[in-house]
């Protein structure tokens, strides 16, 4: 696949340059310029929220830095977690004196480096807590949620934790609400075609011309099954059935995210959502604030994911609270 780029070695930094030039509310910071932060300094007295991860997933991760969402984000190379120095800088820059929540996906490299960064900064007097996104039901059974990857549903935790921090909640409360949002979110994805990394001369994995893979990860991790392509309604039906079977007991309202993986037309996402909405209605669930678009991509991978975020009054209030970043505005 062709790419509009210069030197693959400069791919991430040139993309971050363009992102911050286009959106003055964001700034590059850190010794290597691999931390994206709000243009204004950390607000004194407010709990900070730092995230991070590999490049190649925009708007995740750095696209969600903004009011009512994240304060900072450390950025690694494509599909590689950020290094320890970048994680430490992101946490420091997010700190307004009330501690920092580290909120990111459940991937080994990210976990190791954020843990090390947090331990070192605790010695400097910065209190840190951690919540991991674990919403991908294809990566672990209901009895092994701690093994699950964090994928598109992570943005619901961003939104709820960000709203609580913006309203003045303390670190323990922001952490509790982020963990609650993660616990009430489930995601599953389908892949139709692989992505290609900037430095690679072939796709990151092989998927036949007429094949679909259910449960694929955002880096091309193996899914649950691979078979011939089937109609969108049949795909939507299975995704919703799997998600509803996995969710904990909850109320009658749910937010839905139908997320494109980078190379799927919006029309196809709306075709998928049409059926998802019907299945949820048949299950007695009312949809609040549906999200359809490219929220967590995987370079130009073709496919989509569906996330369900079960709501109670507390989570609904946080979800609907005002927020603004370059890729998402609420209220």
């Amino acid at each position: 696949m062709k790419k509009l780029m210069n030197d693959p070695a400069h791919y991430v930094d040139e993309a971050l340059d363009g992102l911050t030039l286009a959106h003055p509310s964001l700034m590059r910071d850190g010794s290597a310029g691999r931390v994206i932060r709000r243009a204004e300094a950390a607000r004194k007295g407010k709990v900070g929220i730092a995230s991070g991860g590999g490049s190649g997933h925009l708007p995740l991760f750095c696209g969600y830095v903004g009011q009512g969402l994240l304060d900072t984000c450390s950025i690694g190379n494509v599909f590689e977690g950020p290094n320890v120095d970048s994680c430490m800088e992101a946490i420091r820059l997010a700190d307004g004196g009330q501690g920092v929540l580290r909120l990111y996906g459940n991937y080994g490299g990210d976990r190791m480096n954020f843990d090390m960064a947090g331990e070192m900064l605790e010695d400097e007097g910065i209190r840190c807590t951690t919540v991991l996104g674990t919403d991908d039901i294809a990566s672990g059974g209901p009895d092994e949620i701690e093994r699950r990857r964090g994928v598109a549903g992570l943005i619901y935790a961003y939104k709820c934790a960000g709203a609580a921090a913006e309203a003045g909640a303390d670190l323990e409360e922001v952490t509790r609400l982020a963990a609650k949002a993660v616990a009430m979110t489930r995601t599953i994805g389908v892949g139709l075609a692989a992505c290609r990394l900037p430095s690679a001369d072939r796709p990151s994995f092989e998927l036949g011309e007429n094949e679909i893979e259910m449960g694929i990860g955002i880096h091309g991790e193996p899914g649950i099954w691979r078979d011939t392509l089937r109609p969108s309604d049949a795909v939507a039906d299975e995704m919703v059935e799997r998600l509803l079977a996995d969710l904990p007991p909850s109320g009658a309202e749910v937010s839905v995210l139908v997320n494109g993986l980078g190379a799927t037309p919006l029309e196809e996402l709306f075709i998928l959502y049409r059926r998802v909405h019907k299945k949820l209605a048949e299950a007695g669930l009312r949809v609040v604030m549906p999200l359809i678009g490219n929220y967590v991509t995987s370079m130009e991978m073709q496919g989509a994911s569906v996330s369900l975020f079960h709501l109670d009054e507390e989570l609904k209030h946080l979800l609907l609270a005002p927020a603004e970043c370059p890729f998402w505005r609420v209220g």
Side-chain angles (χ1 to χ4, degrees):
M1 180 176 284
K2 301 172 184 174
K3 287 183 180 291
L4 277 175
M5 65 177 185
N6 299 305
D7 187 334
H10 301 153
Y11 186 90
V12 173
D13 291 296
E14 290 181 353
L16 294 178
D17 279 344
L19 174 70
T20 50
L21 285 169
H23 299 286
S25 63
L26 304 180
M27 285 188 62
R28 292 188 69 179
D29 207 329
S31 55
R34 286 300 185 90
V35 176
I36 296 294
R37 68 170 176 87
R38 301 190 197 185
E40 70 272 19
R43 195 173 87 209
K44 296 298 180 189
K46 173 186 168 301
V47 169
I49 304 176
S51 189
S55 295
H57 304 295
L58 270 175
L60 192 74
F61 298 87
C62 54
Y64 295 108
V65 172
Q67 185 177 7
L69 292 157
L70 302 176
D71 294 279
T72 62
C73 187
S74 59
I75 308 299
N77 290 324
V78 175
F79 289 8
E80 296 177 10
N83 61 36
V84 177
D85 289 342
S86 175
C87 293
M88 291 179 69
E89 289 166 340
I91 295 168
R92 284 196 188 100
L93 289 165
D95 182 40
Q98 296 301 312
V100 177
L101 167 63
R102 298 168 294 186
L103 179 55
Y104 53 95
N106 188 22
Y107 296 92
D110 298 350
R111 224 173 36 237
M112 180 178 70
N113 289 340
F114 267 112
D115 284 351
M116 290 176 61
E119 289 170 8
M120 288 188 273
L121 290 173
E122 291 275 0
D123 293 338
E124 296 179 15
I126 299 178
R127 289 194 303 137
C128 294
T129 57
T130 300
V131 173
L132 300 176
T134 56
D135 54 304
D136 183 3
I137 66 170
S139 54
D143 57 345
E144 49 186 1
I145 288 178
E146 71 284 353
R147 290 186 52 222
R148 289 179 171 176
R149 302 178 289 251
V151 286
L154 183 59
I155 71 164
Y156 285 120
Y158 285 174
K159 182 67 185 68
C160 293
E166 210 71 48
D170 64 19
L171 181 60
E172 288 70 26
E173 181 68 353
V174 172
T175 303
R176 180 187 72 82
L177 290 165
K180 181 178 178 181
V182 169
M184 300 305 286
T185 306
R186 298 290 187 275
T187 299
I188 191 166
V190 290
L192 305 182
C195 63
R196 179 174 291 177
L197 275 59
S199 58
D201 59 2
R202 61 182 61 190
S204 56
F205 60 94
E206 298 295 332
L207 191 59
E209 182 65 26
N210 195 36
E211 285 186 321
I212 183 172
E213 184 162 337
M214 177 68 70
I216 199 166
I218 59 173
H219 305 100
E221 295 94 337
I224 299 168
W225 55 254
R226 180 180 290 197
D227 205 345
T228 53
L229 185 60
R230 54 199 63 183
S232 176
D233 284 0
V235 174
D237 289 355
E238 179 172 344
M239 295 173 90
V240 171
E241 287 165 9
R242 287 183 178 274
L243 292 170
L244 290 180
D246 198 283
L247 272 165
S250 51
E253 293 185 319
V254 63
S255 181
V256 181
L257 166 61
V258 177
N259 171 62
L261 294 177
T264 302
L266 282 171
E267 287 88 344
E268 294 179 27
L269 300 183
F270 280 109
I271 289 170
L272 198 60
Y273 175 67
R274 159 192 158 276
R275 184 70 171 193
V276 168
H277 186 279
K278 179 176 186 294
K279 297 298 290 184
L280 293 174
E282 289 174 355
L285 292 167
R286 188 172 77 85
V287 174
V288 176
M289 203 172 88
L291 305 169
I292 295 92
N294 294 315
Y295 287 80
V296 177
T297 65
S298 179
M299 305 301 288
E300 67 288 294
M301 186 189 291
Q302 192 179 357
S305 64
V306 175
S307 302
L308 299 185
F309 179 36
H310 266 259
L311 300 171
D312 60 12
E313 285 306 310
E314 183 175 53
L315 293 176
K316 183 179 177 181
H317 172 75
L318 294 169
L319 178 66
L320 298 179
E324 186 165 5
C325 69
F327 298 91
W328 194 10
R329 185 176 187 277
V330 182

